Amino acid sequence: MNDGPHVDLQTGRAHGARIYDYILGGKDNYAVDRAAAEATLQIWPALPVHMRANREFMHRAGRYLATECGIDQFLDVGTGIPTSPNLHEVVQEVRPESRVVYTDNDPIVLVHARALMSSTEQGRTAYVDADLRAPDTILDSPEFRETLDPNRPIGLMLIAIAHFIEDDEEALTATRRIVDVLPSGSYLAATIATDDFAPETLAGVRRTYREHGETLRFRTKAQAARFFEGLDLVDPGLVQMHKWRPDTTPQANDADIAMYAAVARKP
């Protein structure tokens, strides 16, 4: 990707994907991202536990959709900086023919998009430089239209992305715009940020993110549930993400996990 046109990496402000990358031990981040992460860790030392739990939910949800629901095509909006195993690696292990379209609005993800486009010979991956706030940009892209079959069920992954859209109606409208075009039998898997379990601590986290130029919007369980309206929730429903079909007994404290998660089927 470095041979392409110049990309403005916007290093003057923190970006959630790069903060996430730093906390997970990655190297695709800048001083402003590291400063935001370190300031947040001073307030909330459990941030790495929370972020790992989010990544683990994505793996479990993707594996569940591929293994138990027969889903072999996915749209991952807000994928973040490539960190193996990525979604296509998880689902292609189960279904080698799986196709995955990744999207993100962070320019550094665009720079590293080739890492997201490795695939089995039977499957296929693609990347769209787009923002959830403009869902038609995703849906109208040739990458989406040429990679995924709109007549067959699709797994939509919205992992740790809604909290970057402060306005509830804007976030809901964007999500529903995508869900509405998916065929019956498709699924939505999402994690929604919340401060229900540690409100005082997370008020400080939100303030720190804002000071470094990044939005952070927490939602109650009732507000998170609105993203799944009209869909059939898969057991155990909307729960803290470390409690959604864990591979082992959850070890994290509830106060250390600041996201709800659910998987739901479109009737």
PDB file of all heavy atoms in Angstrom, residues 68-93:
ATOM      1  N   GLU A  68     -21.812 -22.639  13.592  1.00  0.00           N
ATOM      2  CA  GLU A  68     -23.163 -23.050  13.970  1.00  0.00           C
ATOM      3  C   GLU A  68     -24.264 -22.432  13.113  1.00  0.00           C
ATOM      4  O   GLU A  68     -25.386 -22.951  13.096  1.00  0.00           O
ATOM      5  CB  GLU A  68     -23.408 -22.708  15.448  1.00  0.00           C
ATOM      6  CG  GLU A  68     -22.430 -23.424  16.382  1.00  0.00           C
ATOM      7  CD  GLU A  68     -22.824 -23.299  17.841  1.00  0.00           C
ATOM      8  OE1 GLU A  68     -24.029 -23.320  18.136  1.00  0.00           O
ATOM      9  OE2 GLU A  68     -21.915 -23.170  18.681  1.00  0.00           O
ATOM     10  N   CYS A  69     -23.947 -21.361  12.417  1.00  0.00           N
ATOM     11  CA  CYS A  69     -24.982 -20.680  11.631  1.00  0.00           C
ATOM     12  C   CYS A  69     -24.754 -20.783  10.131  1.00  0.00           C
ATOM     13  O   CYS A  69     -25.596 -20.333   9.343  1.00  0.00           O
ATOM     14  CB  CYS A  69     -25.050 -19.209  12.033  1.00  0.00           C
ATOM     15  SG  CYS A  69     -25.324 -18.948  13.795  1.00  0.00           S
ATOM     16  N   GLY A  70     -23.640 -21.351   9.727  1.00  0.00           N
ATOM     17  CA  GLY A  70     -23.378 -21.550   8.305  1.00  0.00           C
ATOM     18  C   GLY A  70     -23.046 -20.286   7.539  1.00  0.00           C
ATOM     19  O   GLY A  70     -23.112 -20.259   6.309  1.00  0.00           O
ATOM     20  N   ILE A  71     -22.662 -19.232   8.235  1.00  0.00           N
ATOM     21  CA  ILE A  71     -22.335 -17.974   7.567  1.00  0.00           C
ATOM     22  C   ILE A  71     -20.934 -18.064   6.959  1.00  0.00           C
ATOM     23  O   ILE A  71     -19.977 -18.436   7.640  1.00  0.00           O
ATOM     24  CB  ILE A  71     -22.409 -16.785   8.547  1.00  0.00           C
ATOM     25  CG1 ILE A  71     -23.815 -16.671   9.143  1.00  0.00           C
ATOM     26  CG2 ILE A  71     -21.999 -15.487   7.860  1.00  0.00           C
ATOM     27  CD1 ILE A  71     -24.904 -16.355   8.140  1.00  0.00           C
ATOM     28  N   ASP A  72     -20.833 -17.700   5.689  1.00  0.00           N
ATOM     29  CA  ASP A  72     -19.529 -17.745   5.041  1.00  0.00           C
ATOM     30  C   ASP A  72     -19.199 -16.436   4.317  1.00  0.00           C
ATOM     31  O   ASP A  72     -18.285 -16.391   3.498  1.00  0.00           O
ATOM     32  CB  ASP A  72     -19.428 -18.928   4.073  1.00  0.00           C
ATOM     33  CG  ASP A  72     -20.443 -18.868   2.933  1.00  0.00           C
ATOM     34  OD1 ASP A  72     -21.196 -17.871   2.843  1.00  0.00           O
ATOM     35  OD2 ASP A  72     -20.485 -19.823   2.129  1.00  0.00           O
ATOM     36  N   GLN A  73     -19.966 -15.373   4.643  1.00  0.00           N
ATOM     37  CA  GLN A  73     -19.593 -14.048   4.149  1.00  0.00           C
ATOM     38  C   GLN A  73     -19.885 -13.019   5.235  1.00  0.00           C
ATOM     39  O   GLN A  73     -20.900 -13.093   5.926  1.00  0.00           O
ATOM     40  CB  GLN A  73     -20.264 -13.700   2.835  1.00  0.00           C
ATOM     41  CG  GLN A  73     -21.705 -14.055   2.673  1.00  0.00           C
ATOM     42  CD  GLN A  73     -22.235 -13.635   1.294  1.00  0.00           C
ATOM     43  OE1 GLN A  73     -21.483 -13.327   0.350  1.00  0.00           O
ATOM     44  NE2 GLN A  73     -23.534 -13.598   1.170  1.00  0.00           N
ATOM     45  N   PHE A  74     -18.942 -12.088   5.371  1.00  0.00           N
ATOM     46  CA  PHE A  74     -18.940 -11.176   6.502  1.00  0.00           C
ATOM     47  C   PHE A  74     -18.612  -9.760   6.053  1.00  0.00           C
ATOM     48  O   PHE A  74     -17.805  -9.554   5.145  1.00  0.00           O
ATOM     49  CB  PHE A  74     -17.894 -11.614   7.540  1.00  0.00           C
ATOM     50  CG  PHE A  74     -18.170 -12.946   8.174  1.00  0.00           C
ATOM     51  CD1 PHE A  74     -17.826 -14.128   7.522  1.00  0.00           C
ATOM     52  CD2 PHE A  74     -18.765 -13.023   9.424  1.00  0.00           C
ATOM     53  CE1 PHE A  74     -18.073 -15.369   8.104  1.00  0.00           C
ATOM     54  CE2 PHE A  74     -19.011 -14.258  10.020  1.00  0.00           C
ATOM     55  CZ  PHE A  74     -18.675 -15.430   9.351  1.00  0.00           C
ATOM     56  N   LEU A  75     -19.220  -8.786   6.752  1.00  0.00           N
ATOM     57  CA  LEU A  75     -18.892  -7.380   6.601  1.00  0.00           C
ATOM     58  C   LEU A  75     -18.450  -6.878   7.968  1.00  0.00           C
ATOM     59  O   LEU A  75     -19.242  -6.844   8.906  1.00  0.00           O
ATOM     60  CB  LEU A  75     -20.101  -6.582   6.100  1.00  0.00           C
ATOM     61  CG  LEU A  75     -19.930  -5.055   6.049  1.00  0.00           C
ATOM     62  CD1 LEU A  75     -18.802  -4.666   5.094  1.00  0.00           C
ATOM     63  CD2 LEU A  75     -21.243  -4.387   5.636  1.00  0.00           C
ATOM     64  N   ASP A  76     -17.175  -6.507   8.086  1.00  0.00           N
ATOM     65  CA  ASP A  76     -16.592  -6.067   9.359  1.00  0.00           C
ATOM     66  C   ASP A  76     -16.345  -4.564   9.287  1.00  0.00           C
ATOM     67  O   ASP A  76     -15.405  -4.113   8.632  1.00  0.00           O
ATOM     68  CB  ASP A  76     -15.286  -6.833   9.601  1.00  0.00           C
ATOM     69  CG  ASP A  76     -14.659  -6.518  10.955  1.00  0.00           C
ATOM     70  OD1 ASP A  76     -15.235  -5.707  11.700  1.00  0.00           O
ATOM     71  OD2 ASP A  76     -13.607  -7.098  11.264  1.00  0.00           O
ATOM     72  N   VAL A  77     -17.208  -3.784   9.944  1.00  0.00           N
ATOM     73  CA  VAL A  77     -17.129  -2.327   9.881  1.00  0.00           C
ATOM     74  C   VAL A  77     -16.363  -1.806  11.092  1.00  0.00           C
ATOM     75  O   VAL A  77     -16.713  -2.108  12.233  1.00  0.00           O
ATOM     76  CB  VAL A  77     -18.532  -1.697   9.834  1.00  0.00           C
ATOM     77  CG1 VAL A  77     -18.423  -0.175   9.750  1.00  0.00           C
ATOM     78  CG2 VAL A  77     -19.331  -2.235   8.646  1.00  0.00           C
ATOM     79  N   GLY A  78     -15.314  -1.028  10.832  1.00  0.00           N
ATOM     80  CA  GLY A  78     -14.474  -0.539  11.909  1.00  0.00           C
ATOM     81  C   GLY A  78     -13.499  -1.592  12.370  1.00  0.00           C
ATOM     82  O   GLY A  78     -13.283  -1.787  13.570  1.00  0.00           O
ATOM     83  N   THR A  79     -12.878  -2.264  11.431  1.00  0.00           N
ATOM     84  CA  THR A  79     -12.049  -3.428  11.746  1.00  0.00           C
ATOM     85  C   THR A  79     -10.817  -3.100  12.584  1.00  0.00           C
ATOM     86  O   THR A  79     -10.343  -3.912  13.360  1.00  0.00           O
ATOM     87  CB  THR A  79     -11.616  -4.132  10.453  1.00  0.00           C
ATOM     88  OG1 THR A  79     -10.885  -5.300  10.779  1.00  0.00           O
ATOM     89  CG2 THR A  79     -10.745  -3.221   9.587  1.00  0.00           C
ATOM     90  N   GLY A  80     -10.261  -1.882  12.424  1.00  0.00           N
ATOM     91  CA  GLY A  80      -9.059  -1.526  13.172  1.00  0.00           C
ATOM     92  C   GLY A  80      -7.789  -2.010  12.497  1.00  0.00           C
ATOM     93  O   GLY A  80      -7.810  -2.633  11.435  1.00  0.00           O
ATOM     94  N   ILE A  81      -6.676  -1.727  13.139  1.00  0.00           N
ATOM     95  CA  ILE A  81      -5.372  -2.113  12.614  1.00  0.00           C
ATOM     96  C   ILE A  81      -5.226  -3.633  12.662  1.00  0.00           C
ATOM     97  O   ILE A  81      -5.592  -4.261  13.655  1.00  0.00           O
ATOM     98  CB  ILE A  81      -4.259  -1.428  13.425  1.00  0.00           C
ATOM     99  CG1 ILE A  81      -4.349   0.096  13.221  1.00  0.00           C
ATOM    100  CG2 ILE A  81      -2.877  -1.940  13.039  1.00  0.00           C
ATOM    101  CD1 ILE A  81      -3.529   0.892  14.198  1.00  0.00           C
ATOM    102  N   PRO A  82      -4.735  -4.252  11.586  1.00  0.00           N
ATOM    103  CA  PRO A  82      -4.645  -5.712  11.550  1.00  0.00           C
ATOM    104  C   PRO A  82      -3.884  -6.292  12.732  1.00  0.00           C
ATOM    105  O   PRO A  82      -2.746  -5.906  13.016  1.00  0.00           O
ATOM    106  CB  PRO A  82      -3.897  -5.978  10.238  1.00  0.00           C
ATOM    107  CG  PRO A  82      -4.191  -4.780   9.390  1.00  0.00           C
ATOM    108  CD  PRO A  82      -4.265  -3.629  10.338  1.00  0.00           C
ATOM    109  N   THR A  83      -4.529  -7.208  13.450  1.00  0.00           N
ATOM    110  CA  THR A  83      -3.918  -7.933  14.559  1.00  0.00           C
ATOM    111  C   THR A  83      -4.328  -9.394  14.416  1.00  0.00           C
ATOM    112  O   THR A  83      -5.485  -9.731  14.587  1.00  0.00           O
ATOM    113  CB  THR A  83      -4.399  -7.392  15.923  1.00  0.00           C
ATOM    114  OG1 THR A  83      -4.112  -6.002  16.011  1.00  0.00           O
ATOM    115  CG2 THR A  83      -3.713  -8.118  17.062  1.00  0.00           C
ATOM    116  N   SER A  84      -3.387 -10.255  14.076  1.00  0.00           N
ATOM    117  CA  SER A  84      -3.701 -11.661  13.840  1.00  0.00           C
ATOM    118  C   SER A  84      -4.043 -12.388  15.144  1.00  0.00           C
ATOM    119  O   SER A  84      -3.414 -12.126  16.187  1.00  0.00           O
ATOM    120  CB  SER A  84      -2.507 -12.343  13.163  1.00  0.00           C
ATOM    121  OG  SER A  84      -2.828 -13.664  12.782  1.00  0.00           O
ATOM    122  N   PRO A  85      -5.062 -13.287  15.131  1.00  0.00           N
ATOM    123  CA  PRO A  85      -5.874 -13.620  13.969  1.00  0.00           C
ATOM    124  C   PRO A  85      -6.974 -12.600  13.699  1.00  0.00           C
ATOM    125  O   PRO A  85      -7.702 -12.207  14.607  1.00  0.00           O
ATOM    126  CB  PRO A  85      -6.472 -14.976  14.349  1.00  0.00           C
ATOM    127  CG  PRO A  85      -6.569 -14.946  15.842  1.00  0.00           C
ATOM    128  CD  PRO A  85      -5.387 -14.148  16.299  1.00  0.00           C
ATOM    129  N   ASN A  86      -7.068 -12.177  12.443  1.00  0.00           N
ATOM    130  CA  ASN A  86      -8.136 -11.315  12.009  1.00  0.00           C
ATOM    131  C   ASN A  86      -9.376 -12.160  11.718  1.00  0.00           C
ATOM    132  O   ASN A  86      -9.320 -13.390  11.721  1.00  0.00           O
ATOM    133  CB  ASN A  86      -7.704 -10.534  10.771  1.00  0.00           C
ATOM    134  CG  ASN A  86      -6.607  -9.532  11.086  1.00  0.00           C
ATOM    135  OD1 ASN A  86      -6.775  -8.670  11.933  1.00  0.00           O
ATOM    136  ND2 ASN A  86      -5.471  -9.671  10.418  1.00  0.00           N
ATOM    137  N   LEU A  87     -10.483 -11.483  11.463  1.00  0.00           N
ATOM    138  CA  LEU A  87     -11.748 -12.193  11.276  1.00  0.00           C
ATOM    139  C   LEU A  87     -11.659 -13.245  10.180  1.00  0.00           C
ATOM    140  O   LEU A  87     -12.134 -14.368  10.364  1.00  0.00           O
ATOM    141  CB  LEU A  87     -12.867 -11.193  10.960  1.00  0.00           C
ATOM    142  CG  LEU A  87     -14.244 -11.807  10.696  1.00  0.00           C
ATOM    143  CD1 LEU A  87     -14.770 -12.551  11.916  1.00  0.00           C
ATOM    144  CD2 LEU A  87     -15.230 -10.723  10.254  1.00  0.00           C
ATOM    145  N   HIS A  88     -11.041 -12.915   9.058  1.00  0.00           N
ATOM    146  CA  HIS A  88     -11.007 -13.895   7.956  1.00  0.00           C
ATOM    147  C   HIS A  88     -10.198 -15.132   8.340  1.00  0.00           C
ATOM    148  O   HIS A  88     -10.521 -16.240   7.899  1.00  0.00           O
ATOM    149  CB  HIS A  88     -10.470 -13.268   6.664  1.00  0.00           C
ATOM    150  CG  HIS A  88      -9.014 -12.942   6.671  1.00  0.00           C
ATOM    151  ND1 HIS A  88      -8.506 -11.784   7.220  1.00  0.00           N
ATOM    152  CD2 HIS A  88      -7.938 -13.628   6.190  1.00  0.00           C
ATOM    153  CE1 HIS A  88      -7.195 -11.762   7.067  1.00  0.00           C
ATOM    154  NE2 HIS A  88      -6.817 -12.872   6.451  1.00  0.00           N
ATOM    155  N   GLU A  89      -9.177 -14.948   9.184  1.00  0.00           N
ATOM    156  CA  GLU A  89      -8.399 -16.108   9.613  1.00  0.00           C
ATOM    157  C   GLU A  89      -9.226 -17.023  10.515  1.00  0.00           C
ATOM    158  O   GLU A  89      -9.120 -18.253  10.448  1.00  0.00           O
ATOM    159  CB  GLU A  89      -7.141 -15.648  10.341  1.00  0.00           C
ATOM    160  CG  GLU A  89      -6.177 -14.879   9.456  1.00  0.00           C
ATOM    161  CD  GLU A  89      -5.052 -14.240  10.244  1.00  0.00           C
ATOM    162  OE1 GLU A  89      -5.317 -13.297  11.016  1.00  0.00           O
ATOM    163  OE2 GLU A  89      -3.906 -14.681  10.080  1.00  0.00           O
ATOM    164  N   VAL A  90     -10.062 -16.416  11.349  1.00  0.00           N
ATOM    165  CA  VAL A  90     -10.922 -17.188  12.252  1.00  0.00           C
ATOM    166  C   VAL A  90     -11.974 -17.966  11.474  1.00  0.00           C
ATOM    167  O   VAL A  90     -12.154 -19.173  11.666  1.00  0.00           O
ATOM    168  CB  VAL A  90     -11.596 -16.250  13.280  1.00  0.00           C
ATOM    169  CG1 VAL A  90     -12.634 -17.009  14.102  1.00  0.00           C
ATOM    170  CG2 VAL A  90     -10.555 -15.616  14.197  1.00  0.00           C
ATOM    171  N   VAL A  91     -12.681 -17.276  10.580  1.00  0.00           N
ATOM    172  CA  VAL A  91     -13.798 -17.939   9.898  1.00  0.00           C
ATOM    173  C   VAL A  91     -13.328 -18.861   8.779  1.00  0.00           C
ATOM    174  O   VAL A  91     -13.969 -19.887   8.509  1.00  0.00           O
ATOM    175  CB  VAL A  91     -14.818 -16.906   9.374  1.00  0.00           C
ATOM    176  CG1 VAL A  91     -15.389 -16.102  10.536  1.00  0.00           C
ATOM    177  CG2 VAL A  91     -14.228 -15.981   8.329  1.00  0.00           C
ATOM    178  N   GLN A  92     -12.209 -18.535   8.141  1.00  0.00           N
ATOM    179  CA  GLN A  92     -11.726 -19.414   7.072  1.00  0.00           C
ATOM    180  C   GLN A  92     -11.123 -20.696   7.619  1.00  0.00           C
ATOM    181  O   GLN A  92     -11.005 -21.687   6.892  1.00  0.00           O
ATOM    182  CB  GLN A  92     -10.717 -18.671   6.192  1.00  0.00           C
ATOM    183  CG  GLN A  92     -11.383 -17.641   5.283  1.00  0.00           C
ATOM    184  CD  GLN A  92     -10.409 -16.903   4.391  1.00  0.00           C
ATOM    185  OE1 GLN A  92      -9.184 -16.991   4.559  1.00  0.00           O
ATOM    186  NE2 GLN A  92     -10.919 -16.162   3.427  1.00  0.00           N
ATOM    187  N   GLU A  93     -10.779 -20.697   8.895  1.00  0.00           N
ATOM    188  CA  GLU A  93     -10.335 -21.948   9.514  1.00  0.00           C
ATOM    189  C   GLU A  93     -11.487 -22.942   9.564  1.00  0.00           C
ATOM    190  O   GLU A  93     -11.283 -24.150   9.456  1.00  0.00           O
ATOM    191  CB  GLU A  93      -9.814 -21.665  10.922  1.00  0.00           C
ATOM    192  CG  GLU A  93      -9.237 -22.881  11.619  1.00  0.00           C
ATOM    193  CD  GLU A  93      -8.656 -22.554  12.980  1.00  0.00           C
ATOM    194  OE1 GLU A  93      -8.450 -21.361  13.277  1.00  0.00           O
ATOM    195  OE2 GLU A  93      -8.404 -23.500  13.759  1.00  0.00           O
TER     196      GLU A  93
END
